[in-house]
């Protein structure tokens, strides 16, 4: 929070009040102003250093292999009911360290996830790999940074952090997810960036980082734990709820799904929904929804329909019962409509 300089006190005739000539009075006024400013900020629920409320949602980890666990978020959109817990995160207990994948959607959730890890092992958390910098996947990083972990993400995150988008989203979440996102919440940047595929060995296990973007986001990063056969896919795969498209590159996303299926991992931890033991089968929801969006919105662009008309005529019944449909579907369709409209205009310009 930035504190503006207190206004200069002036007399009835508009002259300075003489505070500069009385240092003790000046200091007293500064202290009074600071106390009032901090009190107002705390009253508003966004005070400097305000500790987030603890979460009460169930974060019990599910064990996938002897070394790998994950927590599964609520199937719906972010809400006060689920306290921001609507995405997945996981962790791997190696011989002498823990590697975490994603950090959940609030500082309070990050603290709760770290506490769950501590109940399973006292080994230190050395690294946190972040699939992408959407709020529901990285806002819990503060807890892990405080515990000494190194944060790793794709280099494209740097471009995102250079925009105004992170600050705007944080301001929104301080409103929509108070008291679990407060004025003490800070955007935690990566400690180390990877440009493409990378790998590291830690605690007797081999970890392969797979650059999958641009797809759901430009910075999509997956993590394969080779000895365990577990692939953390982030938001390339949604299970049991409507995918969030946002400003994704849906054409590239579909190609990334095919590459994921070709790897034939034994277990896939999705970004949302239950883990999968049949990647090709369980990525069908995400793939089919993206294909449907592109087909319907592409047809509307070809016919030069306005978006509202195109949306109204589309039969959404196949997906309408999925959690998060009401919150996300119209926005998803509109973003795909705009994307395909740009592609069509670009193609027409190139043919001239």
């Amino acid at each position: 929070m930035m504190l503006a300089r207190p206004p200069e006190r002036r007399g009835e005739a508009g002259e300075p009040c003489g505070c500069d000539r009385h240092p003790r009075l000046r200091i007293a006024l500064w202290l009074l102003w600071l106390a009032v400013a901090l009190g107002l900020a705390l009253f508003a629920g966004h005070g400097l250093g305000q500790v987030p409320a603890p979460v009460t949602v169930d974060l019990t980890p599910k064990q996938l292999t002897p070394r790998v666990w994950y927590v599964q978020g609520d199937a719906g959109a972010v809400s006060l009911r689920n306290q921001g817990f609507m995405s997945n995160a996981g962790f791997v207990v190696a011989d002498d360290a823990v590697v975490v994948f994603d950090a959940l959607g609030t500082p309070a959730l990050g603290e709760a996830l770290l506490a769950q890890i501590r109940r399973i092992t006292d080994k230190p958390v050395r690294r946190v790999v972040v699939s992408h910098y959407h709020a529901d996947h990285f806002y819990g990083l503060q807890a892990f940074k405080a515990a000494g972990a190194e944060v790793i993400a794709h280099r494209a995150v740097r471009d995102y952090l250079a925009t105004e988008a992170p600050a705007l989203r944080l301001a929104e979440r301080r409103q929509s997810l108070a008291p679990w996102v407060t004025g003490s919440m800070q955007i935690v940047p990566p400690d180390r960036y990877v440009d493409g595929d990378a790998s590291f060995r830690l605690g007797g296990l081999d970890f392969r980082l797979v650059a999958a973007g641009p797809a759901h986001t430009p910075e999509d990063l997956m993590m394969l734990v080779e000895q365990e056969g577990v692939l953390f896919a982030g938001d390339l795969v949604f299970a049991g709820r409507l995918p969030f498209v946002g400003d994704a590159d849906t054409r590239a996303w579909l190609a990334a799904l095919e590459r994921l299926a070709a790897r034939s991992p034994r277990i896939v931890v999705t970004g949302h929904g239950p883990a999968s033991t049949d990647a090709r089968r369980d990525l069908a929801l995400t793939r089919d929804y993206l294909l449907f969006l592109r087909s319907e919105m592409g047809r509307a662009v070809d016919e030069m329909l306005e978006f509202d008309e195109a949306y109204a005529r589309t039969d959404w019944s196949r997906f309408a019962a999925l959690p998060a449909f009401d919150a996300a579907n119209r926005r998803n369709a509109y973003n795909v409509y705009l994307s395909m409209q740009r592609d069509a205009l670009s193609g027409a310009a190139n043919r001239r």
Side-chain angles (χ1 to χ4, degrees):
M1 177 178 177
M2 295 296 294
L3 296 177
R5 182 175 177 173
E8 184 181 12
R9 290 171 54 86
R10 304 190 72 84
E12 291 182 358
E15 296 298 323
C17 70
C19 300
D20 287 345
R21 294 192 297 271
H22 300 280
R24 289 182 180 177
L25 177 59
R26 184 182 181 191
I27 291 171
L29 288 170
W30 269 94
L31 291 173
L32 176 62
W33 167 82
L34 183 60
V36 170
L38 289 175
L40 288 173
L42 287 167
F43 180 78
H46 307 294
L48 290 175
Q50 185 184 14
V51 177
V55 295
T56 58
V57 291
D58 182 15
L59 264 75
T60 303
K62 301 179 180 183
Q63 189 168 12
L64 296 171
T65 74
R67 294 173 178 258
V68 178
W69 285 258
Y70 86 110
V71 293
Q72 181 182 331
D74 182 70
V78 64
S79 67
L80 292 175
R81 180 186 61 80
N82 59 37
Q83 301 175 17
F85 182 39
M86 34 71 71
S87 62
N88 299 344
F91 56 96
V92 184
V93 180
D95 290 345
D96 56 2
V98 177
V99 175
V100 174
F101 187 86
D102 282 348
L104 300 179
T106 70
L109 286 168
E111 291 283 0
L113 176 58
L114 183 58
Q116 291 290 346
I117 295 171
R118 291 285 180 257
R119 291 188 178 98
I120 292 170
T121 179
D122 60 359
K123 297 171 184 176
V125 177
R126 295 295 188 199
R127 290 176 180 167
V128 181
V129 176
V130 182
S131 63
H132 62 296
Y133 262 55
H134 280 174
D136 55 321
H137 293 267
F138 84 95
Y139 270 23
L141 282 175
Q142 282 178 255
F144 295 97
K145 280 296 297 178
E150 176 187 42
V151 178
I152 302 173
H154 191 276
R155 187 169 296 278
V157 169
R158 180 176 287 169
D159 296 332
Y160 169 72
L161 293 178
T163 71
E164 65 178 3
L168 292 174
R169 172 56 71 196
L170 179 54
E172 182 275 323
R173 288 293 160 92
R174 282 174 174 161
Q175 295 290 330
S176 65
L177 281 180
W180 301 287
V181 179
T182 70
S184 64
M185 162 73 202
Q186 301 295 322
I187 300 295
V188 177
D191 298 301
R192 183 155 65 94
Y193 293 98
V194 296
D195 286 314
D197 292 357
S199 61
F200 62 88
R201 184 173 177 82
L202 185 66
L205 294 176
D206 294 299
F207 298 83
R208 184 177 300 277
L209 305 182
V210 181
H216 177 68
T217 66
E219 69 267 17
D220 288 317
L221 196 64
M222 302 189 295
M223 182 177 79
L224 175 66
V225 189
E226 295 200 10
Q227 287 85 349
E228 303 297 297
V230 177
L231 177 71
F232 289 93
D235 277 5
L236 260 73
V237 183
F238 286 72
R241 61 152 283 180
L242 196 82
F244 173 69
V245 174
D247 56 358
D249 183 335
T250 53
R251 186 195 302 273
W253 190 348
L254 286 164
L257 288 175
E258 291 305 312
R259 293 194 299 273
L260 187 159
R263 289 179 174 272
S264 300
R266 187 163 65 88
I267 299 172
V268 174
V269 179
T270 62
H272 298 261
S276 166
T277 56
D278 187 338
R280 186 165 293 278
R281 179 197 68 200
D282 292 334
L283 60 76
L285 169 63
T286 305
R287 181 197 62 219
D288 292 351
Y289 179 66
L290 297 178
L291 287 170
F292 185 77
L293 282 178
R294 290 185 60 83
S295 173
E296 294 300 312
M297 295 302 102
R299 182 160 63 97
V301 169
D302 289 343
E303 296 174 8
M304 293 185 288
L305 294 180
E306 294 293 329
F307 171 74
D308 287 342
E309 182 180 356
Y311 191 84
R313 81 168 185 187
T314 301
D315 179 4
W316 299 105
S317 59
R318 181 179 175 187
F319 304 100
L322 289 172
F325 178 87
D326 291 339
N329 189 65
R330 186 179 181 89
R331 179 181 175 184
N332 288 347
Y334 184 59
N335 287 343
V336 173
Y337 174 86
L338 292 178
S339 172
M340 300 196 76
Q341 191 176 64
R342 287 192 298 269
D343 289 347
L345 292 172
S346 177
N350 291 335
R351 290 192 295 270
R352 291 192 184 116

